[in-house]
Amino acid sequence: MIATGLAGKVVVVTGGAAGIGKATALAFAAEGCRVAVWDVDPRGEEVAAACQNAGGEGRFFRVDVTQASEVEEATSRVVSLWGGVDVLVNNAGIVRDGQLVKFKDGQLVGTMTDEQWEAVIGVNLRGVFNCTRAVAKVMVPRGRGVILNASSVVGLYGNFGQTNYVASKAGVIGMTRVWARELGRYGIRVNAVAPGFVKTEILASMPPKVLDEMVSHTPLRRMGQPEDIAQAYLWLASEAASFVTGAVLSVDGGLVVGT
């Protein structure tokens, strides 16, 4: 096993109450980290308790990442509790799918609404900005830190019916590259992970036929598990990746669009 060098580190995981965020929080806890679970979902309390059982420490903070004031307050509380932040995992994200414009029999029957656009951009893009800005102010004076952002394979290639989601995930890649340039001089590494189709609650509501089609497009012929993504975050945060910054790591089972 590769030594991660993460024992005792303070890790913030946004959207940590379920899915990839939960798996990520537990993975860091298993390395002996102190994990702050940020979410609006009260199940984050259970995840924080599970972090304790996994071998680390865990605390739940109710945080709406779209609200800068809540993010700043939560950051201050983590610093007061544990002295700083070593790793930020910007995992929180939502979907509100819809076609830009939808026609049937030559007639306009729907569009992506302002509400759908604003909701996704608010969480997936502004939320990443809010959290990174708050935590970077803590990391810079300490001269070290790791920031990991959740993008998506669709942020690289696009996807039907997801203008808002694709825009947010492509934007995350752009911000990752900017921050890697800006923050590298302070010893802070910034990377993104681009998951493929991962078995989470979001996909659980999809028809089996759609899920089967997703698998058929994935060369490894299976969907990803939350733990697959969590392990990617763990590696990027570890000493093993100490010279990696500004990268976008695809964790997608070899997904090739259109195959």
Side-chain angles (χ1 to χ4, degrees):
M1 179 181 294
I2 297 175
T4 63
L6 291 171
K9 299 293 187 182
V10 177
V11 182
V12 171
V13 181
T14 72
I20 293 171
K22 176 181 178 179
T24 299
L26 293 176
F28 278 99
E31 294 294 321
C33 296
R34 293 172 284 182
V35 183
V37 179
W38 289 7
D39 210 311
V40 294
D41 188 333
R43 289 180 297 175
E45 288 277 12
E46 300 171 11
V47 176
C51 286
Q52 299 283 143
N53 296 331
E57 295 183 49
R59 293 292 181 90
F60 172 62
F61 299 80
R62 191 197 180 283
V63 183
D64 180 348
V65 297
T66 69
Q67 301 301 310
S69 60
E70 291 189 23
V71 171
E72 294 284 349
E73 180 183 358
T75 301
S76 295
R77 290 175 63 193
V78 171
V79 172
S80 295
L81 179 65
W82 287 323
V85 179
D86 297 296
V87 181
L88 167 64
V89 183
N90 280 308
N91 166 78
I94 62 172
V95 294
R96 297 288 188 274
D97 293 349
Q99 293 180 46
L100 179 67
V101 292
K102 185 175 181 180
F103 280 78
K104 184 175 181 180
D105 298 327
Q107 299 296 314
L108 179 66
V109 295
T111 67
M112 175 170 284
T113 66
D114 291 345
E115 290 75 17
Q116 287 172 303
W117 171 265
E118 295 294 344
V120 171
I121 295 299
V123 175
N124 298 8
L125 195 61
R126 187 167 67 247
V128 173
F129 171 80
N130 286 342
C131 293
T132 303
R133 181 177 58 180
V135 171
K137 289 186 290 186
V138 174
M139 290 180 171
V140 167
R142 303 176 80 207
R144 66 183 187 273
V146 177
I147 296 166
L148 303 173
N149 300 324
S151 183
S152 169
V153 67
V154 305
L156 296 167
Y157 302 112
N159 198 36
F160 188 94
Q162 289 193 310
T163 296
N164 48 7
Y165 188 75
V166 170
S168 71
K169 295 305 184 179
V172 163
I173 291 173
M175 292 194 302
T176 296
R177 290 172 173 158
V178 171
W179 296 337
R181 290 177 178 269
E182 291 184 353
L183 300 176
R185 71 190 69 182
Y186 304 110
I188 300 168
R189 298 188 294 108
V190 188
N191 292 293
V193 171
F197 301 126
V198 180
K199 193 171 184 180
T200 62
E201 293 178 2
I202 292 175
L203 295 186
S205 61
M206 293 185 177
K209 182 179 179 180
V210 175
L211 296 179
D212 289 343
E213 185 177 356
M214 288 180 176
V215 171
S216 73
H217 282 266
T218 304
L220 289 185
R221 292 297 186 267
R222 72 170 177 88
M223 299 188 71
Q225 296 295 326
E227 292 74 17
D228 294 321
I229 313 305
Q231 289 300 312
Y233 284 134
L234 200 65
W235 178 75
L236 285 169
S238 76
E239 292 298 322
S242 63
F243 200 55
V244 179
T245 193
V248 180
L249 177 60
S250 292
V251 186
D252 58 13
L255 183 66
V256 179
V257 174
T259 60

